[in-house]
Amino acid sequence: MGKLDGKVAVITGATSGMALAGAKLFVDEGAHVFISGRRQQAVDDAVELIGGNVTGVQGDSANLDDLDRLFDTVKQEKGSIDVLWASAGMGEQGRLGEITEAQFDATFSLNARGTLFTVQKALPLFNDGGSIFMTGSNASLKGYPDWSVYAASKAVLPAYARVWVSELKDRKIRVNVLTPGQVATPILEQVMDEPTKAQFESMIPRGKMGRPEEIASVALFLASDDSSYVNGMELVVDGGTSAI
């Protein structure tokens, strides 16, 4: 028996890395999973990789029309949601004095604004007792140089969670933040050069970056009844980086 048997889960930004690993694990644990991503080919590739019990919907989580299309698809195919993992996000380096309006707007549009409206648009379909969680970042905890905009855009997520716990308590919907550290994902490869990656890896007590599957297992915990008494929390999964 799977931990998510009969559940319907929605995972945004799930065409690669941690969220893709999570989508595959959720399906293995009995859920039907809806995934979204910006590029149709990437969505198609992810659906093929996962294999079954998955529906892919192309869309940008910063675009409210695309979010409407995602949840309209969920409504038509399954009618309700038990788990939402709002994982779509982006980040790029920018040192104070060199940050552009375009960088700021794009980052906050997806990470802060997009996450809020993803949750808000999912709510009418949500079953009472469900689980919502968002992907944070330990960049919001450590003060890494050149990452102030990204860090700030992720720092809003625990504030969302604390307020939404109060607002959703009558429906017994839990809201948490899954905050990973340095994880070897395709996106990390795009935004970091080799010296930067080596520097970040040196901060991890075990000296080795996390794997997407290690984050996926924690996502399964938050999605399942195993975390029934975990609510309004930021669960940091960074190998101890932010503890030292």
Side-chain angles (χ1 to χ4, degrees), residues 1 19 32 43 50 53 57 59 64 67-68 89 105 107 113 118 130 171 190 192 200 218-219 224 226 238-239:
M1 182 176 178
H32 185 97
V43 172
I50 294 167
N53 291 324
V57 181
L64 302 193
L67 289 174
D68 285 336
D105 291 346
T107 302
R113 180 178 179 271
T118 297
R171 296 184 60 189
Q190 294 173 13
M192 289 187 182
F200 271 75
V218 180
S224 73
D226 287 348
D238 69 353

Side-chain angles (χ1 to χ4, degrees), residues 144-157:
Y144 299 124
D146 302 338
W147 292 95
S148 60
V149 174
Y150 176 69
S153 72
K154 291 295 189 177
V156 305
L157 303 186

